[in-house]
Amino acid sequence: MAETTNRIMVPAYRHLPGNHCGSTALRNLLGFHGVDISEEMAFGLGAGACFYYVVLDEHSPSRFTNGRAARLEENFLELTGAPLRLRTDPDPESSWRLAKDSIDEGRPVLLLTDLYYLDHYGRSAHFPGHAVVLAGYDDELAWLSDTAFEDLQTTSLDGLREARHSQQPIFPLEGHAIDVPEGTKLARDDLIAHAPKAIARAAGEMLDPPLGEYEGLPALRRFAGEVGDWPDAAEDWQWCARFLYQVIERRGTGGGNFRRMYARFIDEAGYQESAIAAEAADQWTSLAIAARTASEPDQADPAHWEGLSGEAGHVLEAEERLWSALAG
C-alpha cells in the first residue's frame, strides 16, 4: 500500500503488548502521560475481576460467560478519581470527531469497540467492549494499539465506525472514548492508593451483585448447576464449550479467567489473599481444559460433561473462598 501523505500520528506514542484489552489500553494511555503502572494494577483498580453467565438462545454461542467487569474502564475512572475524560456520542460522525480531535492535538485516545468489525480479527464472534488506543489515522485507516499485538494494527475507518457503535445486547456501544485532557496532572501514588476501595468493590459485586443471578457468585452457582446439561439444552453445545474454554484461558484473560492477573494485582497491593486468588485461577484453568475436551467430539460424551460439571463445582468452591476472604 502506498504511503499516505495526510497520515496523522501521535508523536512518541509507545505500544506495549499486554494480556487484556482494557488494562493494556489504560496502562498504555497513562504511560504516554508519564504514569507508570503495571497492567495488573490497571486491571485491579478497575475492579476488573467478576463473573457473568447469560443464556441467549437466539445467539451463538447461546451460553455466554465472562470473567471481567463489564465497565472496567469506567470503574477505573470512578474508583481512582483519575482526571481522565469519558465521552460518548451515539452519532458516528460526532463520536469520530471527538476521537480525531484528540489525535490532532497529539494525545492518544482509548476507544471501546466490538472486535468483530476490526480488520485484524476474523469475524468469528461479536465481542463488544474491546478496548484499543487510537494512535493515528489517515483518510482510510486507523492505527490501533491493541493488546497482545507486537505492533500497531490498522483497520478501516468504516470498520472502526461499526466497531464503536455495535449494538450487541450484552454491551451496546455509543462511540465511547477516554482521553487525558490537555494540562491534566496525574500521579502514580494517587492512583495506587485506591486499591483497597477497588478490591472492596469487586468483592461486594461478586457476593451481592447488582444483576442478581446473572452476575457474581449467584451467576456462578447457576452456571455450575447447568453446565453439565448443555448438550441437552443447547443446539450449539459444542461451540458453547469451545467458547467457554476460550473466554477462560485464551481471549485476553491472562489465564485462569482473569484470576492470574488479579492475583498479581492483590499481591502488588499487599494482600495475602493473592495465594487464594492463584488457587482460584488454577481451578478455572482446569475447568477450561475440561470444556475444551468436551467440545472435541461431534457427539457429546457424557463422561466429559460429568467431568466438566465437577470442575465447575471446584471453581465455585474456590471463588467462594476468595471473595469471602477479600470481603473480610
Side-chain angles (χ1 to χ4, degrees):
M1 182 178 293
E3 286 293 319
T4 307
T5 57
N6 53 355
R7 183 188 305 176
I8 299 175
M9 303 294 293
V10 174
Y13 177 80
R14 185 184 180 199
H15 168 67
L16 290 177
N19 291 307
H20 170 60
C21 64
S23 47
T24 298
L26 282 167
R27 181 201 61 190
N28 288 347
L29 180 67
L30 291 167
F32 176 82
H33 292 279
V35 179
D36 182 20
I37 63 171
S38 68
E39 180 190 352
E40 290 80 4
M41 182 59 67
F43 181 79
L45 289 175
C50 196
F51 182 74
Y52 299 92
Y53 172 52
V54 293
V55 175
L56 300 167
D57 284 325
E58 66 277 18
H59 295 272
S60 188
S62 61
R63 272 63 182 163
F64 181 90
T65 73
N66 194 2
R68 60 145 273 185
R71 305 285 178 175
L72 168 71
E73 299 80 11
E74 294 173 47
N75 287 348
F76 183 94
L77 271 62
E78 176 193 345
L79 290 164
T80 64
L84 278 66
R85 177 172 57 183
L86 168 65
R87 294 182 288 179
T88 63
D89 195 314
D91 176 63
E93 294 303 320
S94 297
S95 69
W96 171 240
R97 207 156 39 241
L98 291 175
K100 174 178 170 292
D101 287 349
S102 291
I103 302 304
D104 293 345
E105 294 166 4
R107 295 178 292 105
V109 56
L110 187 157
L111 307 177
L112 297 186
T113 68
D114 180 348
L115 61 74
Y116 180 86
Y117 298 104
L118 300 180
D119 294 344
H120 51 287
Y121 291 102
R123 294 195 172 199
S124 62
H126 288 277
F127 206 84
H130 179 73
V132 297
V133 177
L134 179 67
Y137 71 92
D138 66 17
D139 292 338
E140 298 178 353
L141 300 173
W143 275 258
L144 303 178
S145 173
D146 191 348
T147 324
F149 291 95
E150 291 296 324
D151 302 305
L152 295 180
Q153 301 296 300
T154 56
T155 197
S156 70
L157 295 185
D158 289 340
L160 182 60
R161 179 169 56 250
E162 288 188 274
R164 297 184 65 208
H165 292 271
S166 171
Q167 293 299 298
Q168 291 298 301
I170 296 171
F171 192 169
L173 298 171
E174 292 190 339
H176 293 67
I178 297 172
D179 69 346
V180 179
E182 193 70 39
T184 298
K185 302 297 183 184
L186 292 167
R188 179 179 184 273
D189 290 347
D190 289 345
L191 297 178
I192 294 175
H194 294 283
K197 186 196 306 183
I199 291 169
R201 167 73 65 84
E205 295 197 350
M206 283 296 293
L207 294 168
D208 187 18
L211 297 181
E213 66 174 8
Y214 299 102
E215 183 180 9
L217 290 179
L220 186 53
R221 293 185 188 107
R222 192 165 54 86
F223 166 80
E226 294 180 6
V227 67
D229 297 325
W230 280 3
D232 295 326
E235 291 184 5
D236 62 342
W237 60 267
Q238 196 171 24
W239 174 222
C240 289
R242 190 70 181 187
F243 190 75
L244 177 63
Y245 161 71
Q246 291 176 3
V247 296
I248 292 173
E249 207 62 22
R250 303 286 298 175
R251 292 187 177 224
T253 72
N257 206 24
F258 296 96
R259 275 30 177 194
R260 295 201 201 292
M261 288 179 59
Y262 199 72
R264 292 193 290 269
F265 157 65
I266 58 178
D267 181 62
E268 190 176 346
Y271 283 69
Q272 294 182 343
E273 288 83 0
S274 60
I276 306 176
E279 292 170 8
D282 290 342
Q283 294 295 342
W284 278 110
T285 294
S286 295
L287 172 63
I289 293 169
R292 183 181 63 189
T293 300
S295 77
E296 289 170 348
D298 289 334
Q299 299 296 320
D301 184 328
H304 289 167
W305 287 88
E306 183 178 352
L308 178 56
S309 181
E311 294 293 350
H314 295 323
V315 164
L316 176 58
E317 292 171 3
E319 289 279 301
E320 288 175 334
R321 286 196 301 274
L322 171 61
W323 298 109
S324 295
L326 287 174

